[in-house]
Amino acid sequence: MCKHACGMIRYMNKTVIITGASRGIGRACALRFAKAGFYLVINSITGGDNLNETKNLCLDAGAAGVLPVQGDVSDPSFADALIELALKHFGRIDTLINNAGISFVGLIQDTDNDIWQKIINTNLSSVHYCTRAAIPHMLEQKAGHIINISSVWGNVGASCEVAYSASKGGINAYTKAAAKELAPSGISVNAIACGCIDTDMNKCFSEDDLKTLEEEIPFGRMGTPDEVAEMVFKITESPKYLTGQIITFDGGWM
Ligand SMILES: NC(=O)c1ccc[n+]([C@@H]2O[C@H](COP(=O)([O-])OP(=O)(O)OC[C@H]3O[C@@H](n4cnc5c(N)ncnc54)[C@H](OP(=O)(O)O)[C@@H]3O)[C@@H](O)[C@H]2O)c1
């Protein structure tokens, strides 16, 4: 660790893996860790221009190195490959941010098998696949942070979002269980249950709907991806004793 000319602390040789980093919260997290001088492994399902743009922004922001990896984290063999690539390129994994996610808004009776499987596999199974692959390395280090991006709907459930709510509720339980299993090995596991954050995920709502929603939030607005990223980063700087927590980050909404 050293202090950069701009006054920001830089973490020499530290590596973070961020799934779903082509846009939104994942990109903001990538930029936050880039500013702190981390090596980054960034992933998204489609890769392409968006992921490359994240890479370039991160290099400009001060990342020690950036490896973009296109692929689907709901595929267990891809999750294994992602972790292997990270180790091959940067030699260690200090932080894993399980962020990739998708939503579906619809009635229970319209949530067919394919939609259900896709939401559960993308949002929840991916957390297990990536965590399971990263753990052996973190156990060797006797250190590591795992941060899962969850949702307030995982805490309280959302009408017309049963699959999404179930996937995020599953992440919350997974986080607590994994934290108990891994605390003796020096690995912390936490989740951030985000409220409404201003990203593409909410583009399915009309401007009027979003305005009504913002009026319900005591803070009076949606959160920004940068605010979530700052929270994620703060967790990695917190004492290891902070583990097994579902940190609600919603402007006082729920
Ligand atoms: N925005 C909110 O209000 C809100 C609230 C609570 C929780 N969250 C959670 O925050 C996380 C990030 O959401 P966001 O709002 O930033 O969404 P977003 O802007 O829609 O970005 C989603 C990201 O996930 C990637 N992705 C989707 N499926 C993937 C897969 N199977 N494998 C790898 N990458 C995949 C996308 O990649 P491509 O660009 O390649 O498609 C993209 O990078 C999600 O877990 C979401 O549930 C968001």
Side-chain angles (χ1 to χ4, degrees):
M1 196 158 84
C2 74
K3 209 158 189 194
H4 194 240
C6 66
M8 185 168 279
I9 288 173
R10 292 176 64 82
Y11 292 80
M12 312 304 286
N13 301 323
K14 290 227 169 186
T15 302
V16 59
I17 301 177
I18 305 162
T19 68
S22 57
R23 332 180 241 127
I25 292 168
R27 174 181 279 183
C29 288
L31 279 166
R32 182 61 188 87
F33 282 82
K35 279 184 196 153
F38 273 64
Y39 289 96
L40 286 107
V41 179
I42 54 171
N43 149 264
S44 96
I45 188 163
T46 56
D49 289 348
N50 281 341
L51 195 61
N52 258 329
E53 196 176 301
T54 302
K55 174 185 170 177
N56 292 333
L57 289 168
C58 286
L59 288 172
D60 288 349
V66 185
L67 176 69
V69 188
Q70 181 264 323
D72 179 355
V73 285
S74 73
D75 170 358
S77 48
F78 171 73
D80 289 344
L82 179 68
I83 301 299
E84 255 177 54
L85 276 169
L87 287 171
K88 192 171 154 206
H89 275 76
F90 300 132
R92 53 185 292 124
I93 301 165
D94 298 281
T95 299
L96 167 65
I97 304 172
N98 288 310
N99 164 76
I102 52 172
S103 63
F104 171 73
V105 179
L107 298 172
I108 294 171
Q109 57 272 36
D110 294 332
T111 306
D112 65 25
N113 295 349
D114 287 348
I115 294 169
W116 175 265
Q117 292 298 342
K118 194 165 180 204
I119 297 282
I120 296 295
N121 288 341
T122 302
N123 294 0
L124 176 59
S125 304
S126 66
V127 170
H128 176 57
Y129 300 150
C130 292
T131 301
R132 182 178 61 188
I135 284 307
H137 173 73
M138 288 184 174
L139 287 175
E140 259 176 44
Q141 285 179 178
K142 285 213 163 294
H145 291 280
I146 298 170
I147 300 167
N148 300 323
I149 304 300
S150 187
S151 160
V152 288
W153 300 142
N155 301 346
V156 299
S159 169
C160 295
E161 293 196 55
V162 284
Y164 184 80
S165 301
S167 71
K168 296 299 185 179
I171 288 180
N172 293 352
Y174 189 97
T175 299
K176 289 178 187 213
K180 285 179 180 161
E181 185 172 325
L182 297 170
S185 306
I187 300 163
S188 77
V189 190
N190 292 288
I192 300 183
C194 296
C196 193
I197 310 299
D198 190 8
T199 72
D200 291 351
M201 190 166 269
N202 293 315
K203 279 202 172 144
C204 57
F205 299 110
S206 69
E207 274 195 20
D208 278 353
D209 285 346
L210 287 176
K211 208 169 156 258
T212 310
L213 207 152
E214 285 185 325
E215 282 165 9
E216 284 174 16
I217 301 171
F219 219 82
R221 62 165 174 82
M222 287 187 264
T224 67
D226 287 348
E227 287 171 317
V228 180
E230 193 56 40
M231 190 68 236
V232 169
F233 191 75
K234 288 270 173 359
I235 291 176
T236 66
E237 288 193 313
S238 299
K240 279 272 174 65
Y241 210 68
L242 179 78
T243 195
Q245 299 308 301
I246 313 303
I247 298 162
T248 298
F249 196 73
D250 68 353
W253 192 22
M254 292 294 151

